[in-house]
Amino acid sequence: MTTTSIRVAETPLVLYALRRADDALVLGHRLSEWCGHAPALEEDMALANIGLDLLGQARSLYGYAAEVEAAGHNEDDYAFHRDAPQYRNLLVAELPNGDFARTILRQFFYAAFADLYWRAMMASPHSTLAAIAAKSEKETAYHLRHSAEWVIRLGDGTEESHRRAADAVAYLWPYTGEMFEADAAERALIDAGTVLDPASFRDAWDKTVSDILAEATLEKPAAGWMQQGGRSGRHSEHLGHLLAVMQSVPRAIPGASW
Amino acid sequence: MSTQATKTITPLWEVFIRSRNGLAHKHVGSLHAADATLALQAARDVYTRRGEGLSIWVVPSNAITASDPGEKGMMFEPAESKIYRHPTFYEVPDEVGHM
Amino acid sequence: MYTQALNARDDAPAIRPAEELEQEARFQARVDAEERIEANDWMPAAYRKTLIRQISQHAHSEIVGMLPEGNWITRAPSLRRKAALLAKVQDECGHGLYLYAAAETLGVTREELTEQLLSGKAKYSSIFNYPTLTWADMGAIGWLVDGAAIMNQIPLCRCSYGPYARAMIRVCKEESFHQRQGYEIMLTLCRGTPEQKAMAQEALNRWWWPCLMMFGPPDASSQHSDQSTRWKIKRFSNDELRQKFVDATVPQADYLGLTLPDPELRFVPDEGGDASKGHWAYGEIDWAEFKQILAGNGPCNRDRLAARNKAHDEGAWVREAAMAYAEKRRSRQAA
């Protein structure tokens, strides 16, 4: 049985919130897939903590989107009743976990950006967004530290871990450009001073990434073509499968409370 | 089955946490980590999920020297008879106030 | 319970030196006086051995227990349920960690215990060899399995061995949200659509009897619990706990509007006096099924162990990398 999805009035601020909420939800969902399967019990705890933080961020941001959209939608409507083309997350978030190296490098690349972004957003004149940023910033600072420490150990560990880490860097690199992009809708918000221009964090991000990769004895890839599309709903093949699993129960019994 | 994989021995660390309102670090348990940084991170992830901690100490288990419980008498009973070390041994008139 | 297959064996040799007998007498006196035995204290070899087995079996159960519920994290039907379930399964991992830590105080390593689990030598609670087939299973497990676990765990907070007791206190503090979460899921389903209510009833039908089996074989057929009882490692008998569990759960099922799958369930009032006081007598448990589960023939035994072996094997290179880096850093600092 299928249910029709909700229609969202994607005004700039709603779109902005959904984009970041989707990043957090999709990435949090991916991390939750590790639960019970991590390389060590202590890491199972860590990945679950990060997943929970991201789920919390997603919920705050969906809550905010609901408020702004004012169409009677709630967090679960957005999460479980939008199809893949309506999702607005970065492509990097929806990629399969792969091995621990790929998961850690993905977390590192994303957290290195999110940490800068949320810290700066704490000063946003928009009080709700500033509050969300303040909470998220503390969490993301830890995600960055956790993933960076592992990047170093994997890169500068054994031959095998180095190879896997290098493969992960190469695989993920083309997906690291999208986080700095802003389209016309977001540009309007940036010009109004409500949100920050993600491109303004590129240099700082690059420095963090360069420093950690160097310490990890990993090569930073040369500049090249960057994959895009997630922000406007043009996703990889992976998101469809992810959502098919994630949304299966509520879609099977429409209108039910869980 | 997985004898190869179990060959890596990761060191044991003891974890001490001082809570928000606490005055001293309390021993809460142990965990396995390859080094001090990972031990601290793991302690944070395992032992402070409910806001228990404000400060964490991690110590390699083999760095701890413990008194021998068989020598409890020798180690600790002599102190029990030296009651002059306790404030209650001394009488201070009430008029002087709290001391 | 999580340690139901355990039999404490009194395997002391026939003739023992007088000093050892004296130490054992002093040890027993301490236990009788409700004193805590700590890691470096003298203890009978059998006490140490039994505890290692009991605590590690408990730890293994928590870790394997992550899998049946972990199966539904990616399909949790609301963000609130998703977060709660992820947190619950994470707690179970944490419980395993606290318990392995307690076991290690007795002179065994985590690596040894892990090897015992992965090779199939060690046991874990039978309940986790059943599959989770619907979302309602998350409700049933939280309500019944965690409910049963709590019955066993609370008395263990007073067990004689200090590190185990303290681990259990920590576990119990965290466990209460688990049962409430499960019951709330059942309540939501039972108050929902007819399909949801049917899902809840169907899950209860599958989980009820395995949960009763969790408490272990009947007291009459339990061989060596006396020693565990004397050492204050086991504080209530299997049947006592099982009865307590049934008595607590029947009204809870009633409130949900669900029927327990036991046609022989009936209230038996206590003799003399208040007819409202009594116990719920239940039907025959299929101990043959229990034996099969313990022998490794349950629906999920092989899959559970395979999953844990896979995680361990595939994680080996990560653990090795961390140790290699630590070694490199030590050398660099020494240089």
Side-chain angles (χ1 to χ4, degrees):
Chain A
M1 191 193 290
T2 55
T3 56
T4 51
S5 299
I6 59 169
R7 292 283 140 227
V8 180
E10 284 181 329
T11 52
L13 210 42
V14 171
L15 190 54
Y16 172 82
L18 286 181
R19 282 169 169 165
R20 269 119 206 113
D22 289 346
D23 287 345
L25 174 60
V26 171
L27 197 49
H29 179 93
R30 279 298 189 214
L31 286 175
S32 78
E33 291 172 356
W34 277 100
C35 198
H37 309 285
L41 298 178
E42 285 84 354
E43 268 318 297
D44 229 303
M45 303 295 288
L47 294 176
N49 267 344
I50 299 174
L52 282 166
D53 285 345
L54 290 168
L55 279 179
Q57 288 173 20
R59 296 180 70 193
S60 300
L61 289 159
Y62 284 133
Y64 176 60
E67 214 183 283
V68 177
E69 197 201 3
H73 292 144
N74 62 37
E75 63 183 20
D76 292 328
D77 291 324
Y78 294 128
F80 296 94
H81 297 279
R82 281 180 306 147
D83 291 314
Q86 296 169 283
Y87 260 71
R88 305 273 174 251
N89 54 282
L90 297 167
L91 294 176
V92 74
E94 72 198 43
L95 299 173
N97 286 329
D99 64 7
F100 187 70
R102 196 181 278 190
T103 292
I104 284 296
L105 262 305
R106 177 187 60 199
Q107 203 59 44
F108 171 63
F109 289 144
Y110 175 76
F113 171 78
D115 177 60
L116 294 163
Y117 188 79
W118 289 129
R119 192 155 43 250
M121 278 294 288
M122 282 167 66
S124 165
H126 200 292
S127 58
T128 314
L129 289 178
I132 292 175
K135 181 161 188 289
S136 305
E137 189 272 332
K138 286 203 191 70
E139 296 168 346
T140 316
Y142 186 73
H143 303 171
L144 176 58
R145 160 118 63 107
H146 173 268
S147 57
E149 294 291 351
W150 271 112
V151 169
I152 292 167
R153 281 156 182 75
L154 297 183
D156 194 16
T158 61
E159 259 183 62
E160 179 173 6
S161 70
H162 181 92
R163 178 181 51 80
R164 287 174 182 263
D167 286 350
V169 171
Y171 177 81
L172 292 165
W173 195 253
Y175 296 96
T176 59
E178 195 182 11
M179 46 186 125
F180 302 104
E181 299 300 320
D183 62 4
E186 196 147 318
R187 184 100 357 236
L189 295 174
I190 293 167
D191 293 340
T194 313
V195 308
L196 298 164
D197 186 352
S200 64
F201 301 101
R202 195 191 290 272
D203 288 345
W205 180 87
D206 202 73
K207 172 146 200 332
T208 301
V209 168
S210 298
D211 288 349
I212 298 294
L213 288 183
E215 199 177 331
T217 73
L218 291 164
E219 263 182 55
K220 198 179 86 172
W225 181 254
M226 289 296 170
Q227 297 293 342
Q228 284 186 67
R231 286 289 187 237
S232 50
R234 240 182 25 256
H235 290 277
S236 71
E237 290 182 347
H238 304 294
L239 186 63
H241 294 283
L242 186 157
L243 293 180
V245 168
M246 195 183 88
Q247 299 181 343
S248 55
V249 175
R251 295 267 195 182
I253 307 184
S257 295
W258 299 96
Chain B
M1 206 183 294
S2 62
T3 39
Q4 279 297 341
T6 52
K7 283 214 173 96
T8 309
I9 307 279
T10 312
L12 188 63
W13 300 73
E14 302 300 326
V15 181
F16 302 82
I17 309 259
R18 179 166 58 80
S19 67
R20 266 166 222 297
N21 307 312
L23 295 172
H25 285 76
K26 228 177 81 165
H27 181 247
V28 293
S30 65
L31 49 83
H32 286 257
D35 62 38
T37 305
L38 291 182
L40 216 48
Q41 270 174 205
R44 180 258 193 205
D45 283 318
V46 177
Y47 287 106
T48 69
R49 283 171 295 126
R50 283 168 165 85
E52 298 94 313
L54 214 46
S55 170
I56 302 174
W57 288 350
V58 290
V59 183
S61 302
N62 59 18
I64 295 180
T65 306
S67 59
D68 182 346
E71 295 179 344
K72 264 189 217 138
M74 176 190 82
M75 293 283 274
F76 304 114
E77 269 163 45
E80 281 171 27
S81 65
K82 293 180 175 59
I83 57 175
Y84 44 78
R85 288 195 176 124
H86 292 271
T88 46
F89 181 77
Y90 302 93
E91 268 184 40
V92 176
D94 289 336
E95 300 85 65
V96 177
H98 181 71
M99 188 180 286
Chain C
M1 247 269 358
Y2 278 5
T3 57
Q4 76 232 124
L6 193 78
N7 289 321
R9 296 179 57 74
D10 190 359
D11 57 359
I15 298 168
R16 291 183 295 151
E19 196 194 311
E20 193 187 313
L21 289 168
E22 202 192 298
Q23 277 179 313
E24 205 168 300
R26 261 187 281 146
F27 168 83
Q28 190 60 50
R30 292 188 63 204
V31 170
D32 292 340
E34 298 282 350
E35 268 180 54
R36 284 277 146 79
I37 308 298
E38 296 295 341
N40 287 338
D41 290 344
W42 188 92
M43 61 184 80
Y47 177 85
R48 186 187 298 274
K49 192 165 163 205
T50 288
L51 269 177
I52 289 174
R53 247 188 318 152
Q54 179 164 330
I55 299 173
S56 63
Q57 208 179 103
H58 195 162
H60 297 324
S61 297
E62 297 283 353
I63 300 307
V64 176
M66 292 171 72
L67 296 171
E69 287 172 291
N71 186 32
W72 280 87
I73 293 172
T74 52
R75 287 176 291 174
S78 76
L79 294 185
R80 182 168 166 261
R81 295 292 182 213
K82 198 179 181 78
L85 185 57
L86 180 54
K88 178 179 194 289
V89 179
Q90 183 195 42
D91 271 353
E92 269 135 40
C93 185
H95 296 173
L97 278 165
Y98 308 152
L99 290 163
Y100 283 128
E104 284 186 278
T105 64
L106 290 161
V108 69
T109 65
R110 166 117 54 106
E111 283 79 8
E112 282 173 276
L113 296 176
T114 302
E115 205 274 324
Q116 284 168 14
L117 172 67
L118 297 182
S119 63
K121 273 189 236 132
K123 293 194 166 32
Y124 56 87
S125 184
S126 58
I127 196 71
F128 301 121
N129 291 312
Y130 290 88
T132 50
L133 302 178
T134 68
W135 172 249
D137 289 40
M138 296 302 103
I141 288 178
W143 170 36
L144 301 173
V145 175
D146 285 279
I150 288 169
M151 293 248 142
N152 190 55
Q153 279 161 189
I154 290 181
L156 281 175
C157 294
R158 293 180 296 119
C159 100
S160 56
Y161 188 57
Y164 191 19
R166 287 189 289 275
M168 293 317 304
I169 290 171
R170 212 186 167 90
V171 167
C172 284
K173 268 207 202 111
E174 299 178 356
E175 199 79 46
S176 53
F177 118 69
H178 296 184
Q179 194 187 20
R180 291 166 72 90
Q181 191 224 183
Y183 194 71
E184 203 199 73
I185 290 174
M186 292 304 263
L187 199 54
T188 307
L189 294 173
C190 291
R191 286 176 175 164
T193 71
E195 279 155 302
Q196 285 178 303
K197 181 145 188 202
M199 199 199 291
Q201 179 65 63
E202 197 271 330
L204 174 58
N205 293 346
R206 277 183 291 104
W207 286 95
W208 177 247
W209 291 105
C211 282
L212 293 191
M213 290 179 211
M214 271 179 91
F215 293 93
D219 295 348
S221 70
S222 243
Q223 292 150 44
H224 301 279
S225 331
D226 304 333
Q227 189 60 282
S228 287
T229 307
R230 268 205 307 139
W231 282 337
K232 299 207 201 287
I233 298 171
K234 184 181 174 67
R235 312 225 36 157
F236 293 105
S237 79
N238 295 351
D239 286 339
E240 271 178 296
L241 286 176
R242 187 171 12 243
Q243 187 61 62
K244 232 173 126 184
F245 173 73
V246 174
D247 290 341
T249 311
V250 170
Q252 291 167 353
D254 208 48
Y255 184 83
L256 291 171
L258 295 178
T259 310
L260 291 171
D262 182 356
E264 290 175 59
L265 196 65
R266 70 199 186 287
F267 187 73
V268 176
D270 285 342
E271 272 159 44
D274 193 349
S276 69
K277 286 202 153 53
H279 295 285
W280 285 91
Y282 47 91
E284 272 299 307
I285 293 173
D286 183 0
W287 292 111
E289 179 180 326
F290 184 64
K291 277 208 185 73
Q292 286 305 323
I293 303 281
L294 290 188
N297 296 323
C300 297
N301 297 57
R302 290 182 187 93
D303 289 343
R304 299 295 182 228
L305 270 196
R308 288 310 305 159
N309 271 288
K310 183 166 187 273
H312 193 77
D313 291 346
E314 289 182 359
W317 68 268
V318 178
R319 299 188 299 271
E320 279 155 27
M323 289 303 292
Y325 178 79
E327 186 50 50
K328 283 188 200 181
R329 207 156 73 160
R330 258 195 299 276
S331 313
R332 285 172 198 153
Q333 280 168 354

